[in-house]
Every structure is written in C-alpha cells, then in structure tokens.
C-alpha cells in the first residue's frame, strides 16, 4: 500500500490574495508566520479564497484599509482573526498560539 501526503497549501490560492492583502501576507511571512492551508470554495462566501497562517498575526493589526474588514473571530473551532477583502472574498486568517504537535 502506498500512502501519499496531501499538500494543503496551493501557491495559486496565495497568488489570488490581491494587492490589498498581499502586503499584510508578506509582512506576516517576513515576521515568521507560515501558511498551513489554503482553500477555494463557496464557504463562507461564494468563490471564497482563504489562506490560513499558523500563528496569530505577528504584525500590528491594520485598520482603515479600504474594502478590507478585520475581524477578531476568536473561535477555536475556526480561527483567531481574519482580514476579509469584501469585493473579492479573499480572506487571510490566522491561527491560535499553542503546542506544535507536528514535531512529535
């Protein structure tokens, strides 16, 4: 039997963040955050593009970006916070701090 690892990160999804979220994303990666998963589908909105970062946002929270809504979701069933570009339904999400069970 052959087992294959599923790659949960699609670079094409990341490229669809668009200019409004690209700067935040680049700053987060530079600060040490990492992408753990990407998604395209019709949840939570039709044609959503979602990029999930492992850690909480490491850079200062930005407000006043036209067309972008920051939300502190703070629900462990989902994620900690998100930036949602309202016109394109692209969403940059961050996770919670916690143990890294991937190294066990």
């Amino acid at each position: 039997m052959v087992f294959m690892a599923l790659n949960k990160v699609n670079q094409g999804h990341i490229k669809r963040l668009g200019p409004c979220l690209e700067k935040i994303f680049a700053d987060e990666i530079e600060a040490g955050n990492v992408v753990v998963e990407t998604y395209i589908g019709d949840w939570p909105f039709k044609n959503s593009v979602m990029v999930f970062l492992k850690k909480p946002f490491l850079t200062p929270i930005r407000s006043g970006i036209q067309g972008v809504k920051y939300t502190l979701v703070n629900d462990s069933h989902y994620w900690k916070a998100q930036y949602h570009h309202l016109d394109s339904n692209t969403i940059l999400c961050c996770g919670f701090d916690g143990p890294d069970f991937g190294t066990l």
Side-chain angles (χ1 to χ4, degrees), residues 42-97:
D42 289 333
W43 187 90
F45 308 102
K46 187 166 178 63
N47 299 316
S48 293
V49 177
M50 303 178 77
V51 175
F52 297 89
L53 300 173
K54 182 175 183 176
K55 301 175 185 177
F57 291 123
L58 301 175
T59 60
I61 301 304
R62 295 162 172 98
S63 61
I65 302 171
Q66 187 169 346
V68 175
K69 179 182 178 186
Y70 171 80
T71 304
L72 180 61
V73 177
N74 209 23
D75 186 332
S76 60
H77 292 100
Y78 297 103
W79 47 87
K80 184 170 184 177
Q82 69 184 31
Y83 288 99
H84 175 197
H85 184 258
L86 301 171
D87 290 339
S88 66
N89 281 332
T90 54
I91 306 167
L92 179 61
C93 307
C94 69
F96 290 87
D97 269 333

Side-chain angles (χ1 to χ4, degrees), residues 2-47:
V2 176
F3 292 95
M4 296 178 62
L6 296 176
N7 186 352
K8 299 189 312 183
V9 177
N10 182 311
Q11 294 300 318
H13 298 172
I14 294 170
K15 291 178 182 176
R16 292 183 58 180
L17 280 175
C20 291
L21 298 181
E22 280 177 349
K23 175 69 173 140
I24 298 169
F25 174 79
D27 290 349
E28 284 294 319
I29 297 303
E30 186 175 315
N33 223 332
V34 294
V35 178
V36 292
E37 187 173 354
T38 62
Y39 163 84
I40 289 182
D42 289 333
W43 187 90
F45 308 102
K46 187 166 178 63
N47 299 316

Side-chain angles (χ1 to χ4, degrees), residues 99-104:
D100 184 359
F101 294 109
T103 59
L104 297 178

